[in-house]
Amino acid sequence: MEKIAMKKKLRIRRSKPNRSLTGDLGVNFILIFFGVFMAFPLVYAINSAFKPLDEIFIYPPRLFVKNPTMDNFQDLLVIMGKSWVPFTRYLFNTVFITAVGTAGHLIISSMGAYVLAKYNFPGSRAFFNLVVVALMFSGYVTAIPNYLIMSKIGWVDTYWAIIVPAFASPMGLFLMKQYMEGIPDVLIEAAKIDGAREWRIFSRIVLPVVKPAWLTLMIFSVQGLWNTKASNFIYSEELKTLPYALQQILSGGIARAGVGSAVSLVMMIVPITVFIVAESNILETMASSGIKD
Amino acid sequence: MSVLKRYIEIKKRNASISWKIAKKSKTYYYFLAPYASLFFLFYVLPVVASLFLSFTYYNVLEPPKFIGIQNYINLILADDVFLIAVKNTFLIAVITGPIGYLAAFIFAWFINELPRYLKAFAVVIFYAPTISGQVYLIWSIIFSGDAYGYINAFLLNLGIISQPILWLTNPQYMLTIVIIVTLWMSLGTGFLAFVAGLQGIDKSQYEAGYIDGIKNRWQELWYITLPNMKPMLLFGAVMTITQSFGVADVPMALTGFPSTDYATQTVVTHLIDYGSVRFEMGYAAAIATILFVTMILCNKVIQAFLRRVGT
């Protein structure tokens, strides 16, 4: 008996247990097959941004660029330089909205999620159910009541109309709460015995443990806010966002086809960078013993 | 009478007990307060207002006029396009929902087995359709109706077809294409949540499972991974429901709005039609309410089902 157990332990140390070679090969084959399919838009977007105009309209259409050029980006710079409001202003608006909105969202929703996940108090379950249900109401219909609320508060045509509602986005709280349910109560109780107050437990123990969740939430939040056009709430040209300004460039139609693909690539850079950095951090966190009971 | 009295007494007692507990858990309310206040102001209040609007005639210019359930009666009895929209939405939801959900989990699970750097790379590739914003618009080039469309060019070159097919304006193909593109984009929110969830499972559980006699990856999945992932699976299910019932951007961008013969009209595009084209907000709110109730029921069923996982 002991010998078998020893052998098994050795095998664990050497490689992953419970895996067969055929299974691994099959899994990798499936991943590569679908990976090509999924990677297509990225490959296409990158290639078209560097295509000269004659290659964009070539027949038969070609995926890969033959004579890469920076023309599209130069044209984009020229158009940007001619805009009425300096282009850096649009950039600033979007960066500000994204940064403040994401930071507030992470703090506020993880605070709420922590007590909902770890404690039972009157109203907690009902409130959480309300949050889940709120996810399901179509945003198109609530646009008008939302606008009325904003105008009552006096936030129309300010950044706050976009930033503050983003703080309370139901999806964030939902994700955080679900993830925090996995934290063992023992961990929190141990901290309590050591005399830690709730805030300290939350900031020093819970937040580090749920790092994969808040990084994931950061990805979602940045992605959403970065692409906000916010045309419902913002009228002043100098407060408008980058996607809005770029959409104006694209409305030039077929004549701006080259610039258009450059624009799409430029818009993708920030969310993708945030995504890659956050994701590699998520995958770094090795759940070790002591986190789970 | 006495039954009623007892009932009220019990209720009162329960309320006073809850009140005592609530007083004790003051700290928890402080934690929740910032979120709760914003949530009520910016999410609950607009939804309640919309529910109210669904019982009115409201054209945005004049104040809403209360008309009872007339909107709902019209919607179900007199609106033929709504029935098409319901049919299409159900078809899209029934196909893309379960497949997308399973695919998101399976890919997250497969990717989790890869070595670290390859893992990061694979996550980026599989999330690409979602991260790259409106990149699904390239499907309109791929399926473009003239000979410049990738599919048409490909088929013409092979000689399979002799003239370009109008993929996006011929009702015969439109819904299928919308379903394909929606499926392709379905590795979104749920997928990333699953990746994060898998990361949070304690590795020593797998080793313990191996010593306890788990033989292959399927048993490991069922007895260790899935039970540990339950909260994330629930999250993914809710997100899948909202996404698959809320399909609107893809059909609008690819097949036009309104689409030929309403071949790709969905409940949400119908709602947008009434809300932002015809400005009949009361009617649009009624559509939203029906969709809302359907999603809640669907969610109840799926949650009951997920509770059995791993047992």
Side-chain angles (χ1 to χ4, degrees), chain A residues 40 57 68 74 96-97 102 111-113 119 131 139 141 160 162 169-171 175 196 206 214 242 248 260 273:
Chain A
F40 190 75
F57 295 109
Q74 274 163 10
F96 183 79
I97 289 171
T102 303
M111 273 169 67
Y119 300 103
V131 171
V141 183
W160 307 116
I162 306 150
S169 150
M171 193 189 75
L175 178 77
V206 174
W214 59 258
L242 190 64
Q248 298 301 305
T273 316

Side-chain angles (χ1 to χ4, degrees), chain B residues 197-208:
Chain B
L198 285 167
Q199 216 53 37
I201 300 176
D202 188 353
K203 303 284 179 292
S204 63
Q205 286 194 31
Y206 291 112
E207 291 166 14

